[in-house]
Short mmCIF file of all heavy atoms in Angstrom, two decimals:
data_model
loop_
_atom_site.label_atom_id
_atom_site.label_comp_id
_atom_site.label_asym_id
_atom_site.label_seq_id
_atom_site.Cartn_x
_atom_site.Cartn_y
_atom_site.Cartn_z
N MET A 242 0.85 -1.17 0.00
CA MET A 242 0.00 0.00 0.00
C MET A 242 0.90 1.24 0.00
O MET A 242 1.73 1.41 0.88
CB MET A 242 -0.87 -0.04 1.26
CG MET A 242 -1.81 1.11 1.37
SD MET A 242 -3.10 0.67 2.56
CE MET A 242 -2.92 1.98 3.68
N PRO A 243 0.75 2.10 -1.00
CA PRO A 243 1.60 3.29 -1.06
C PRO A 243 1.25 4.27 0.06
O PRO A 243 0.10 4.42 0.45
CB PRO A 243 1.31 3.89 -2.43
CG PRO A 243 0.01 3.31 -2.84
CD PRO A 243 -0.16 2.02 -2.11
N THR A 244 2.26 4.89 0.55
CA THR A 244 2.04 5.89 1.59
C THR A 244 2.41 7.26 1.05
O THR A 244 3.31 7.39 0.21
CB THR A 244 2.89 5.61 2.84
OG1 THR A 244 4.27 5.63 2.47
CG2 THR A 244 2.56 4.26 3.46
N THR A 245 1.71 8.25 1.51
CA THR A 245 2.02 9.62 1.10
C THR A 245 2.65 10.32 2.29
O THR A 245 2.27 10.08 3.43
CB THR A 245 0.75 10.38 0.66
OG1 THR A 245 -0.17 10.36 1.73
CG2 THR A 245 0.12 9.75 -0.56
N PRO A 246 3.62 11.17 2.02
CA PRO A 246 4.24 11.89 3.13
C PRO A 246 3.23 12.82 3.78
O PRO A 246 2.28 13.28 3.13
CB PRO A 246 5.37 12.67 2.47
CG PRO A 246 5.03 12.72 1.03
CD PRO A 246 4.15 11.54 0.74
N PRO A 247 3.40 13.09 5.07
CA PRO A 247 2.46 14.02 5.72
C PRO A 247 2.58 15.40 5.10
O PRO A 247 3.64 15.78 4.61
CB PRO A 247 2.93 14.02 7.18
CG PRO A 247 4.31 13.50 7.16
CD PRO A 247 4.43 12.63 5.93
N PRO A 248 1.49 16.17 5.10
CA PRO A 248 1.56 17.51 4.51
C PRO A 248 2.57 18.36 5.28
O PRO A 248 2.76 18.22 6.49
CB PRO A 248 0.15 18.07 4.68
CG PRO A 248 -0.54 17.16 5.64
CD PRO A 248 0.21 15.87 5.67
N GLU A 249 3.25 19.19 4.52
CA GLU A 249 4.25 20.08 5.10
C GLU A 249 3.57 21.07 6.04
O GLU A 249 2.52 21.62 5.73
CB GLU A 249 4.95 20.83 3.97
CG GLU A 249 6.18 21.57 4.42
CD GLU A 249 6.90 22.18 3.23
OE1 GLU A 249 7.16 21.46 2.27
OE2 GLU A 249 7.17 23.39 3.30
N ALA A 250 4.16 21.27 7.19
CA ALA A 250 3.59 22.22 8.16
C ALA A 250 3.69 23.62 7.58
O ALA A 250 4.74 24.04 7.09
CB ALA A 250 4.34 22.13 9.48
N ALA A 251 2.59 24.31 7.62
CA ALA A 251 2.55 25.67 7.07
C ALA A 251 3.24 26.64 8.02
O ALA A 251 3.12 26.52 9.24
CB ALA A 251 1.11 26.09 6.84
N ARG A 252 3.95 27.57 7.44
CA ARG A 252 4.55 28.62 8.26
C ARG A 252 3.46 29.62 8.61
O ARG A 252 2.48 29.78 7.86
CB ARG A 252 5.65 29.34 7.48
CG ARG A 252 6.81 28.44 7.12
CD ARG A 252 7.96 29.19 6.52
NE ARG A 252 7.61 29.79 5.24
CZ ARG A 252 8.36 30.70 4.62
NH1 ARG A 252 9.48 31.11 5.15
NH2 ARG A 252 7.98 31.19 3.46
N PRO A 253 3.60 30.30 9.72
CA PRO A 253 2.60 31.32 10.08
C PRO A 253 2.54 32.42 9.02
O PRO A 253 3.56 32.76 8.41
CB PRO A 253 3.12 31.88 11.42
CG PRO A 253 4.07 30.86 11.93
CD PRO A 253 4.64 30.15 10.74
N ALA A 254 1.35 32.96 8.82
CA ALA A 254 1.16 34.02 7.81
C ALA A 254 2.08 35.20 8.08
O ALA A 254 2.61 35.81 7.14
CB ALA A 254 -0.30 34.48 7.81
N GLU A 255 2.31 35.50 9.35
CA GLU A 255 3.17 36.64 9.71
C GLU A 255 4.60 36.43 9.18
O GLU A 255 5.24 37.38 8.71
CB GLU A 255 3.19 36.77 11.23
CG GLU A 255 3.99 37.94 11.74
CD GLU A 255 3.90 38.04 13.25
OE1 GLU A 255 2.81 37.83 13.82
OE2 GLU A 255 4.94 38.33 13.85
N VAL A 256 5.10 35.22 9.25
CA VAL A 256 6.45 34.91 8.78
C VAL A 256 6.52 35.06 7.26
O VAL A 256 7.47 35.64 6.72
CB VAL A 256 6.87 33.49 9.22
CG1 VAL A 256 8.17 33.07 8.58
CG2 VAL A 256 6.96 33.42 10.73
N VAL A 257 5.52 34.53 6.58
CA VAL A 257 5.49 34.61 5.12
C VAL A 257 5.36 36.07 4.68
O VAL A 257 6.04 36.52 3.75
CB VAL A 257 4.34 33.76 4.53
CG1 VAL A 257 4.31 33.86 3.01
CG2 VAL A 257 4.48 32.31 4.97
N GLN A 258 4.52 36.82 5.37
CA GLN A 258 4.35 38.24 5.04
C GLN A 258 5.67 38.99 5.20
O GLN A 258 6.01 39.84 4.35
CB GLN A 258 3.28 38.87 5.91
CG GLN A 258 3.00 40.32 5.54
CD GLN A 258 1.95 40.93 6.43
OE1 GLN A 258 1.80 40.56 7.59
NE2 GLN A 258 1.21 41.87 5.88
N ALA A 259 6.43 38.68 6.22
CA ALA A 259 7.73 39.33 6.42
C ALA A 259 8.67 39.02 5.25
O ALA A 259 9.42 39.89 4.79
CB ALA A 259 8.34 38.89 7.74
N GLU A 260 8.61 37.80 4.75
CA GLU A 260 9.45 37.42 3.61
C GLU A 260 9.01 38.15 2.35
O GLU A 260 9.84 38.58 1.54
CB GLU A 260 9.42 35.90 3.41
CG GLU A 260 10.50 35.42 2.48
CD GLU A 260 10.64 33.90 2.45
OE1 GLU A 260 10.26 33.23 3.43
OE2 GLU A 260 11.12 33.41 1.42
N ILE A 261 7.70 38.31 2.17
CA ILE A 261 7.19 39.07 1.02
C ILE A 261 7.67 40.51 1.10
O ILE A 261 8.15 41.08 0.11
CB ILE A 261 5.65 39.01 0.95
CG1 ILE A 261 5.19 37.60 0.59
CG2 ILE A 261 5.12 40.02 -0.06
CD1 ILE A 261 3.70 37.37 0.74
N ARG A 262 7.57 41.11 2.27
CA ARG A 262 8.01 42.50 2.45
C ARG A 262 9.50 42.65 2.15
O ARG A 262 9.93 43.61 1.51
CB ARG A 262 7.69 43.00 3.84
CG ARG A 262 6.21 43.20 4.07
CD ARG A 262 5.94 43.60 5.52
NE ARG A 262 4.53 43.59 5.79
CZ ARG A 262 3.79 44.69 5.89
NH1 ARG A 262 4.34 45.87 5.75
NH2 ARG A 262 2.51 44.60 6.14
N ALA A 263 10.30 41.69 2.62
CA ALA A 263 11.74 41.73 2.37
C ALA A 263 12.02 41.63 0.86
O ALA A 263 12.88 42.34 0.34
CB ALA A 263 12.44 40.60 3.12
N LEU A 264 11.31 40.75 0.19
CA LEU A 264 11.48 40.60 -1.26
C LEU A 264 11.15 41.91 -1.98
O LEU A 264 11.89 42.34 -2.86
CB LEU A 264 10.59 39.47 -1.78
CG LEU A 264 10.63 39.19 -3.28
CD1 LEU A 264 12.00 38.67 -3.70
CD2 LEU A 264 9.54 38.19 -3.66
N MET A 265 10.07 42.54 -1.57
CA MET A 265 9.68 43.81 -2.20
C MET A 265 10.72 44.89 -1.94
O MET A 265 11.03 45.68 -2.83
CB MET A 265 8.30 44.25 -1.69
CG MET A 265 7.18 43.32 -2.08
SD MET A 265 7.01 43.08 -3.85
CE MET A 265 6.26 44.63 -4.29
N ARG A 266 11.27 44.93 -0.73
CA ARG A 266 12.32 45.91 -0.42
C ARG A 266 13.56 45.67 -1.27
O ARG A 266 14.15 46.60 -1.81
CB ARG A 266 12.71 45.82 1.06
CG ARG A 266 11.96 46.75 1.96
CD ARG A 266 12.60 46.84 3.35
NE ARG A 266 12.94 45.56 3.95
CZ ARG A 266 12.11 44.81 4.66
NH1 ARG A 266 10.86 45.20 4.85
NH2 ARG A 266 12.49 43.67 5.17
N GLU A 267 13.96 44.40 -1.37
CA GLU A 267 15.17 44.04 -2.13
C GLU A 267 15.05 44.39 -3.60
O GLU A 267 16.04 44.74 -4.23
CB GLU A 267 15.46 42.55 -1.97
CG GLU A 267 15.89 42.14 -0.59
CD GLU A 267 15.88 40.64 -0.40
OE1 GLU A 267 15.72 39.89 -1.39
OE2 GLU A 267 16.01 40.20 0.76
N THR A 268 13.86 44.26 -4.14
CA THR A 268 13.67 44.48 -5.58
C THR A 268 13.18 45.89 -5.90
O THR A 268 13.02 46.22 -7.08
CB THR A 268 12.65 43.48 -6.16
OG1 THR A 268 11.37 43.71 -5.55
CG2 THR A 268 13.10 42.05 -5.93
N GLY A 269 12.93 46.67 -4.88
CA GLY A 269 12.38 48.00 -5.13
C GLY A 269 10.97 47.95 -5.69
O GLY A 269 10.51 48.91 -6.30
N GLY A 270 10.30 46.82 -5.50
CA GLY A 270 8.93 46.69 -5.97
C GLY A 270 8.81 46.18 -7.41
O GLY A 270 7.70 46.00 -7.90
N TRP A 271 9.94 45.94 -8.06
CA TRP A 271 9.91 45.45 -9.44
C TRP A 271 10.00 43.94 -9.43
O TRP A 271 10.99 43.38 -8.97
CB TRP A 271 11.07 46.03 -10.25
CG TRP A 271 10.92 47.48 -10.48
CD1 TRP A 271 11.44 48.48 -9.73
CD2 TRP A 271 10.15 48.11 -11.50
NE1 TRP A 271 11.06 49.70 -10.22
CE2 TRP A 271 10.27 49.50 -11.31
CE3 TRP A 271 9.39 47.63 -12.55
CZ2 TRP A 271 9.64 50.42 -12.16
CZ3 TRP A 271 8.77 48.54 -13.39
CH2 TRP A 271 8.90 49.91 -13.18
N LEU A 272 8.97 43.28 -9.92
CA LEU A 272 8.92 41.82 -9.92
C LEU A 272 8.88 41.30 -11.35
O LEU A 272 7.94 41.58 -12.10
CB LEU A 272 7.68 41.34 -9.16
CG LEU A 272 7.59 41.78 -7.70
CD1 LEU A 272 6.24 41.39 -7.13
CD2 LEU A 272 8.71 41.19 -6.89
N TRP A 273 9.90 40.55 -11.72
CA TRP A 273 9.92 39.92 -13.03
C TRP A 273 10.76 38.65 -12.95
O TRP A 273 11.56 38.49 -12.04
CB TRP A 273 10.46 40.87 -14.11
CG TRP A 273 11.91 41.24 -13.92
CD1 TRP A 273 12.99 40.59 -14.41
CD2 TRP A 273 12.41 42.33 -13.16
NE1 TRP A 273 14.14 41.21 -14.00
CE2 TRP A 273 13.81 42.29 -13.22
CE3 TRP A 273 11.82 43.35 -12.41
CZ2 TRP A 273 14.62 43.21 -12.59
CZ3 TRP A 273 12.65 44.26 -11.78
CH2 TRP A 273 14.02 44.19 -11.88
N GLY A 274 10.54 37.76 -13.89
CA GLY A 274 11.31 36.51 -13.96
C GLY A 274 11.22 35.71 -12.67
O GLY A 274 10.15 35.51 -12.11
N PRO A 275 12.38 35.25 -12.18
CA PRO A 275 12.41 34.41 -10.98
C PRO A 275 11.87 35.14 -9.76
O PRO A 275 11.28 34.52 -8.87
CB PRO A 275 13.89 34.06 -10.79
CG PRO A 275 14.59 34.49 -12.01
CD PRO A 275 13.70 35.41 -12.77
N THR A 276 12.07 36.45 -9.72
CA THR A 276 11.57 37.23 -8.58
C THR A 276 10.05 37.20 -8.56
O THR A 276 9.44 37.05 -7.50
CB THR A 276 12.07 38.68 -8.66
OG1 THR A 276 13.49 38.66 -8.79
CG2 THR A 276 11.69 39.47 -7.44
N ARG A 277 9.44 37.31 -9.72
CA ARG A 277 7.98 37.27 -9.82
C ARG A 277 7.46 35.90 -9.40
O ARG A 277 6.47 35.77 -8.68
CB ARG A 277 7.54 37.60 -11.25
CG ARG A 277 6.06 37.55 -11.48
CD ARG A 277 5.39 38.68 -10.80
NE ARG A 277 3.96 38.66 -11.02
CZ ARG A 277 3.17 39.63 -10.70
NH1 ARG A 277 3.67 40.73 -10.18
NH2 ARG A 277 1.89 39.55 -10.90
N ALA A 278 8.15 34.87 -9.85
CA ALA A 278 7.74 33.50 -9.51
C ALA A 278 7.83 33.29 -8.00
O ALA A 278 6.93 32.67 -7.40
CB ALA A 278 8.61 32.49 -10.26
N ARG A 279 8.90 33.78 -7.38
CA ARG A 279 9.06 33.64 -5.93
C ARG A 279 7.95 34.38 -5.19
O ARG A 279 7.39 33.88 -4.22
CB ARG A 279 10.43 34.17 -5.49
CG ARG A 279 10.68 34.06 -4.02
CD ARG A 279 10.69 32.62 -3.56
NE ARG A 279 10.86 32.54 -2.12
CZ ARG A 279 10.30 31.64 -1.34
NH1 ARG A 279 9.57 30.67 -1.86
NH2 ARG A 279 10.46 31.66 -0.05
N TYR A 280 7.62 35.59 -5.67
CA TYR A 280 6.54 36.36 -5.06
C TYR A 280 5.23 35.58 -5.13
O TYR A 280 4.50 35.51 -4.15
CB TYR A 280 6.39 37.72 -5.74
CG TYR A 280 5.10 38.40 -5.36
CD1 TYR A 280 4.97 39.03 -4.13
CD2 TYR A 280 4.00 38.36 -6.21
CE1 TYR A 280 3.77 39.63 -3.76
CE2 TYR A 280 2.81 38.94 -5.85
CZ TYR A 280 2.70 39.58 -4.63
OH TYR A 280 1.51 40.15 -4.26
N GLU A 281 4.94 35.00 -6.27
CA GLU A 281 3.69 34.27 -6.44
C GLU A 281 3.64 33.04 -5.53
O GLU A 281 2.58 32.73 -4.96
CB GLU A 281 3.49 33.88 -7.90
CG GLU A 281 3.20 35.10 -8.78
CD GLU A 281 3.14 34.80 -10.25
OE1 GLU A 281 3.39 33.64 -10.67
OE2 GLU A 281 2.85 35.74 -11.01
N GLN A 282 4.77 32.36 -5.34
CA GLN A 282 4.82 31.23 -4.42
C GLN A 282 4.54 31.70 -2.99
O GLN A 282 3.76 31.07 -2.26
CB GLN A 282 6.19 30.57 -4.45
CG GLN A 282 6.48 29.81 -5.71
CD GLN A 282 7.93 29.35 -5.76
OE1 GLN A 282 8.80 29.86 -5.04
NE2 GLN A 282 8.22 28.39 -6.62
N LEU A 283 5.18 32.80 -2.61
CA LEU A 283 4.98 33.33 -1.26
C LEU A 283 3.54 33.80 -1.06
O LEU A 283 2.95 33.56 -0.01
CB LEU A 283 5.94 34.49 -1.00
CG LEU A 283 7.41 34.09 -0.84
CD1 LEU A 283 8.29 35.33 -0.85
CD2 LEU A 283 7.60 33.29 0.43
N ARG A 284 2.97 34.44 -2.08
CA ARG A 284 1.59 34.91 -1.99
C ARG A 284 0.65 33.74 -1.77
O ARG A 284 -0.21 33.79 -0.89
CB ARG A 284 1.21 35.66 -3.28
CG ARG A 284 -0.22 36.18 -3.28
CD ARG A 284 -0.73 36.42 -4.68
NE ARG A 284 -0.67 35.18 -5.45
CZ ARG A 284 -0.51 35.14 -6.76
NH1 ARG A 284 -0.38 36.25 -7.45
NH2 ARG A 284 -0.49 33.99 -7.40
N ASP A 285 0.83 32.67 -2.52
CA ASP A 285 -0.02 31.50 -2.39
C ASP A 285 0.15 30.86 -1.01
O ASP A 285 -0.83 30.43 -0.39
CB ASP A 285 0.27 30.49 -3.49
CG ASP A 285 -0.11 31.00 -4.87
OD1 ASP A 285 -0.84 32.02 -4.97
OD2 ASP A 285 0.33 30.39 -5.86
N GLU A 286 1.39 30.81 -0.53
CA GLU A 286 1.64 30.26 0.80
C GLU A 286 0.97 31.13 1.87
O GLU A 286 0.40 30.61 2.83
CB GLU A 286 3.15 30.19 1.06
CG GLU A 286 3.50 29.59 2.40
CD GLU A 286 4.99 29.54 2.68
OE1 GLU A 286 5.80 29.92 1.81
OE2 GLU A 286 5.34 29.12 3.80
N TRP A 287 1.03 32.45 1.70
CA TRP A 287 0.41 33.36 2.65
C TRP A 287 -1.11 33.15 2.70
O TRP A 287 -1.70 33.11 3.77
CB TRP A 287 0.74 34.80 2.29
CG TRP A 287 0.14 35.80 3.21
CD1 TRP A 287 0.59 36.18 4.43
CD2 TRP A 287 -1.06 36.55 2.99
NE1 TRP A 287 -0.25 37.11 4.98
CE2 TRP A 287 -1.27 37.36 4.12
CE3 TRP A 287 -1.98 36.61 1.94
CZ2 TRP A 287 -2.36 38.22 4.23
CZ3 TRP A 287 -3.05 37.47 2.05
CH2 TRP A 287 -3.24 38.25 3.18
N VAL A 288 -1.73 33.00 1.53
CA VAL A 288 -3.18 32.78 1.47
C VAL A 288 -3.54 31.49 2.20
O VAL A 288 -4.48 31.46 3.00
CB VAL A 288 -3.68 32.76 0.00
CG1 VAL A 288 -5.10 32.26 -0.09
CG2 VAL A 288 -3.55 34.14 -0.63
N ARG A 289 -2.78 30.42 1.95
CA ARG A 289 -3.06 29.15 2.64
C ARG A 289 -2.89 29.31 4.15
O ARG A 289 -3.72 28.81 4.92
CB ARG A 289 -2.13 28.05 2.12
CG ARG A 289 -2.50 27.50 0.76
CD ARG A 289 -1.72 26.26 0.40
NE ARG A 289 -0.27 26.44 0.44
CZ ARG A 289 0.47 26.92 -0.56
NH1 ARG A 289 -0.11 27.25 -1.69
NH2 ARG A 289 1.77 27.05 -0.43
N ALA A 290 -1.86 30.01 4.57
CA ALA A 290 -1.61 30.21 6.00
C ALA A 290 -2.74 31.02 6.63
O ALA A 290 -3.19 30.70 7.74
CB ALA A 290 -0.27 30.90 6.22
N MET A 291 -3.22 32.04 5.93
CA MET A 291 -4.32 32.84 6.45
C MET A 291 -5.58 32.00 6.61
O MET A 291 -6.27 32.08 7.62
CB MET A 291 -4.59 34.06 5.55
CG MET A 291 -3.53 35.13 5.64
SD MET A 291 -3.40 35.86 7.29
CE MET A 291 -4.99 36.67 7.42
N HIS A 292 -5.88 31.19 5.61
CA HIS A 292 -7.06 30.32 5.68
C HIS A 292 -6.94 29.36 6.85
O HIS A 292 -7.91 29.15 7.59
CB HIS A 292 -7.23 29.54 4.37
CG HIS A 292 -7.81 30.36 3.27
ND1 HIS A 292 -9.00 30.04 2.66
CD2 HIS A 292 -7.36 31.47 2.66
CE1 HIS A 292 -9.25 30.94 1.72
NE2 HIS A 292 -8.27 31.82 1.70
N GLU A 293 -5.75 28.79 7.02
CA GLU A 293 -5.54 27.84 8.10
C GLU A 293 -5.68 28.53 9.46
O GLU A 293 -6.33 28.00 10.36
CB GLU A 293 -4.15 27.23 7.97
CG GLU A 293 -3.90 26.10 8.94
CD GLU A 293 -2.58 25.41 8.69
OE1 GLU A 293 -2.36 24.94 7.56
OE2 GLU A 293 -1.76 25.37 9.63
N GLU A 294 -5.11 29.72 9.59
CA GLU A 294 -5.20 30.45 10.86
C GLU A 294 -6.64 30.86 11.16
O GLU A 294 -7.07 30.81 12.30
CB GLU A 294 -4.28 31.67 10.83
CG GLU A 294 -2.81 31.27 10.89
CD GLU A 294 -1.85 32.45 10.75
OE1 GLU A 294 -2.29 33.62 10.91
OE2 GLU A 294 -0.67 32.21 10.49
N MET A 295 -7.38 31.26 10.13
CA MET A 295 -8.78 31.65 10.35
C MET A 295 -9.61 30.43 10.74
O MET A 295 -10.48 30.52 11.60
CB MET A 295 -9.32 32.31 9.08
CG MET A 295 -8.73 33.69 8.86
SD MET A 295 -9.10 34.45 7.26
CE MET A 295 -10.85 34.31 7.14
N ALA A 296 -9.34 29.28 10.13
CA ALA A 296 -10.08 28.06 10.45
C ALA A 296 -9.77 27.61 11.88
O ALA A 296 -10.65 27.15 12.61
CB ALA A 296 -9.74 26.95 9.47
N THR A 297 -8.52 27.77 12.28
CA THR A 297 -8.12 27.39 13.63
C THR A 297 -8.76 28.32 14.67
O THR A 297 -9.15 27.87 15.73
CB THR A 297 -6.58 27.44 13.77
OG1 THR A 297 -6.03 26.56 12.80
CG2 THR A 297 -6.12 27.01 15.13
N ALA A 298 -8.88 29.58 14.34
CA ALA A 298 -9.44 30.56 15.27
C ALA A 298 -10.96 30.38 15.43
O ALA A 298 -11.51 30.77 16.45
CB ALA A 298 -9.13 31.97 14.78
N ALA A 299 -11.59 29.83 14.43
CA ALA A 299 -13.06 29.70 14.47
C ALA A 299 -13.54 28.59 15.38
O ALA A 299 -12.94 27.77 15.87
CB ALA A 299 -13.59 29.44 13.06
#
């Protein structure tokens, strides 16, 4: 029977948001190429973390 690894523990939204802010500072707000892709990954992670935190709080 195949096993799947446990889902990766989500980082808190606050931590992800800090990383997004740092990325924006480093790039001066210009997002293109790999920087844009990294921003989109972080944004999606932040949304998941927010949903998880809101579900936990409810």
Side-chain angles (χ1 to χ4, degrees):
M242 181 162 123
T244 60
T245 57
E249 191 175 309
R252 297 187 295 167
E255 183 177 320
V256 172
V257 180
Q258 184 180 30
E260 194 171 335
I261 291 170
R262 289 176 189 256
L264 179 66
M265 295 302 284
R266 267 193 313 274
E267 292 167 10
T268 64
W271 291 94
L272 301 172
W273 65 89
T276 307
R277 178 71 180 190
R279 180 64 183 145
Y280 167 78
E281 290 174 356
Q282 289 172 342
L283 289 169
R284 180 202 59 209
D285 294 346
E286 182 181 357
W287 180 81
V288 169
R289 284 190 304 275
M291 288 297 294
H292 282 240
E293 188 174 304
E294 289 175 16
M295 288 171 51
T297 302

